Amino acid sequence: MELVKKSLVALVLLFVVCLVCVGLSIYFNSSAVNVNPNANSYIKQLRNQFDLEELQKITERTTDSFPVQPEEFFSLVGED
């Protein structure tokens, strides 16, 4: 009788572990994220070289559009 009680506890624990595994498997399969097959068309490759002309354009637009230049702003807030 002692052997039956020990094996019954082991079988119940095994059954609970199996239920948890099946439940987690179902949960993760239902919550999987599907990647759009056209995702590669949205990805643009970066160039191998840094474009200094674009950086110069951004610097000029910053100079033209900000009322306070970044250098002056940092001196106003106390950062050097």
Side-chain angles (χ1 to χ4, degrees):
M1 196 63 167
E2 177 98 11
L3 183 61
V4 174
K5 287 182 182 179
K6 287 182 181 179
S7 63
L8 185 61
V9 171
L11 287 175
V12 169
L13 288 176
L14 181 63
F15 181 70
V16 169
V17 169
C18 288
L19 282 178
V20 169
C21 287
V22 169
L24 287 174
S25 175
I26 291 171
Y27 172 74
F28 285 123
N29 285 336
S30 66
S31 66
V33 176
N34 294 329
V35 177
N36 186 350
N38 296 327
N40 285 335
S41 65
Y42 302 130
I43 299 173
K44 182 179 177 184
Q45 294 273 337
L46 295 176
R47 296 183 195 166
N48 292 338
Q49 296 178 346
F50 194 73
D51 193 0
L52 294 177
E53 293 176 9
E54 289 297 321
L55 182 62
Q56 184 62 33
K57 290 178 186 177
I58 293 171
T59 306
E60 290 173 1
R61 286 194 320 227
T62 302
T63 305
D64 295 340
S65 62
F66 288 157
V68 177
Q69 298 306 312
E71 297 85 12
E72 295 174 32
F73 176 77
F74 289 130
S75 67
L76 291 174
V77 295
E79 294 182 16
D80 292 322

